[in-house]
Amino acid sequence: MTSHHEKLDDMTIAFVGAGSIAEALIKGLTETGIGHATRLLVVNRHNPARLAYLEAQYDVIAGKDIRQAVVDADIILLCMKPKDIHEALPVIAAHARVDALYISVVAGYTIRSIQEMIACGNPLASTPRIVRTMPNTSCAVGKSATAYAMSDSCTARDRVYVEAILCSVGTSCTVDEHLLNAVTGLSGSGPAYVYYLVEALTLAGMDVGLDEQTSYSLVIQTLYGAAHMLTHTGESPAILRDRVTSPGGTTFAGISTLQQFGFEHAIRQAVVNATKRATELGDHSYPPTPSSK
Ligand SMILES: NC(=O)c1ccc[n+]([C@@H]2O[C@H](COP(=O)([O-])OP(=O)(O)OC[C@H]3O[C@@H](n4cnc5c(N)ncnc54)[C@H](OP(=O)(O)O)[C@@H]3O)[C@@H](O)[C@H]2O)c1
């Protein structure tokens, strides 16, 4: 897991797509100083108000159209919804430099399908450098757990750039591409599992007599404190749990109940099923078939 900072001052980065993930990355790059606002271009399809907001908020440059945004870009960040990539990518590739580095956050599209869409837009870009990433929703607050996979054509320098960009919104690690579905099932969907746990614990606090607000704030701080213990003590979760679970004590009673109700099994099965679903949804090809649209 990496979280170091490399400056990208002399790189021009074009964001195609100006939604929530693009904003999170722009915010991360500008706030950390890893990217330079005057070298960040952003473009969308038909929402000038959104571009005006991003320009005003982060000082980035709103592109007039896709062509103008990508033409000089060293790095092109694909930040559109999966349904829009077929239309956007061949146009991007037709106007981008052949040596541009493509970084995709688009769920479900393989390096190979991205490569095919690029080649369709520009047959000269026969071995484009492509990075496929899977961030999670916590990138909005700079705390994403992101995994990425790179095409064989990528260089060691590309890795440095990619990690700098991803580390501006959290941590990053590299995996083999086939494992990105597992990442989707684990850390991609992970925030929702944790929110669900918080909901359940808050209700549990109310079951034993606390008011909702008190219960909720105790749960949030418990979660935050436990995460902090894990990252700052260097101890494993099993050791930390063991330390607070004396036989016959209160935590023991609670943990035994979780075990009795199959807590571990439920969590593991949740990740298995989310991974299976990511595999089913991610089976895209290019040109698109009606079912992959
Ligand atoms: N949000 C997350 O936490 C998260 C986490 C992991 C992965 N992702 C992935 O990130 C991608 C974007 O998600 P999002 O939540 O940021 O989506 P979003 O808010 O809906 O934004 C999508 C953006 O793409 C633009 N766009 C679509 N087609 C375009 C085209 N042909 N040319 C230029 N711009 C185009 C849209 O422009 P208009 O508004 O003008 O149509 C919009 O600005 C998705 O593929 C998703 O799988 C998101």
Side-chain angles (χ1 to χ4, degrees):
M1 204 54 75
T2 323
S3 57
H4 65 90
H5 292 192
E6 169 90 8
K7 288 247 180 193
L8 295 169
D9 275 350
D10 54 347
M11 306 294 283
T12 298
I13 304 177
F15 290 83
V16 183
S20 47
I21 191 97
E23 179 171 4
L25 287 160
I26 288 169
K27 185 171 192 277
L29 287 169
T30 52
E31 282 183 356
T32 56
I34 292 173
H36 202 281
T38 58
R39 307 292 296 258
L40 305 181
L41 282 91
V42 56
V43 69
N44 62 9
R45 202 168 24 181
H46 39 47
N47 187 349
R50 174 73 181 163
L51 293 185
Y53 158 78
L54 293 172
E55 256 188 328
Q57 189 73 19
Y58 304 102
D59 251 357
V60 293
I61 299 166
K64 285 196 197 68
D65 54 38
I66 278 203
R67 277 164 290 176
Q68 189 226 13
V70 302
V71 73
D72 289 323
D74 298 291
I75 299 175
I76 297 172
L77 264 147
L78 305 172
C79 295
M80 67 289 290
K81 291 275 190 213
K83 69 178 174 48
D84 295 318
I85 194 171
H86 300 119
E87 184 195 306
L89 196 41
V91 181
I92 295 169
H95 297 93
R97 289 173 16 196
V98 276
D99 66 345
L101 171 65
Y102 289 84
I103 302 179
S104 168
V105 302
V106 182
Y109 278 84
T110 60
I111 288 174
R112 192 189 161 87
S113 62
I114 292 171
Q115 192 179 351
E116 279 162 7
M117 285 183 258
I118 293 171
C120 173
N122 183 354
L124 294 178
S126 53
T127 49
R129 286 141 50 234
I130 299 165
V131 182
R132 189 178 154 200
T133 73
M134 175 44 66
N136 70 23
T137 178
S138 306
C139 62
V141 292
K143 301 280 184 240
S144 177
T146 307
Y148 67 92
M150 308 181 87
S151 64
D152 293 341
S153 48
C154 283
T155 64
R157 196 74 203 139
D158 292 336
R159 183 181 299 281
V160 173
Y161 296 142
V162 169
E163 292 195 348
I165 291 171
L166 297 180
C167 289
S168 77
V169 292
T171 61
S172 72
C173 63
T174 177
V175 295
D176 283 346
E177 188 182 8
H178 75 278
L179 288 172
L180 282 174
N181 289 327
V183 169
T184 305
L186 183 65
S187 53
S189 304
Y193 309 149
V194 177
Y195 300 144
Y196 198 15
L197 178 68
V198 168
E199 287 175 65
L201 280 173
T202 303
L203 288 171
M206 293 160 70
D207 289 342
V208 291
L210 297 166
D211 67 75
E212 184 174 359
Q213 190 48 46
T214 306
S215 180
Y216 181 66
S217 41
L218 287 168
V219 170
I220 294 286
Q221 183 60 21
T222 301
L223 184 79
Y224 183 75
H228 217 70
M229 287 290 284
L230 287 165
T231 50
H232 285 76
T233 63
E235 298 283 17
S236 71
I239 292 283
L240 291 172
R241 173 160 66 87
D242 205 47
R243 248 182 228 156
V244 292
T245 314
S246 27
T250 54
T251 309
F252 183 81
I255 294 281
S256 304
T257 309
L258 286 176
Q259 285 167 341
Q260 195 187 324
F261 280 85
F263 178 77
E264 181 182 326
H265 181 69
I267 299 278
R268 291 174 73 163
Q269 203 52 49
V271 174
V272 167
N273 287 347
T275 302
K276 274 192 197 149
R277 189 69 187 130
T279 310
E280 288 162 11
L281 292 174
D283 192 13
H284 294 299
S285 57
Y286 187 80
T289 56
S291 63
S292 72
K293 273 213 164 190

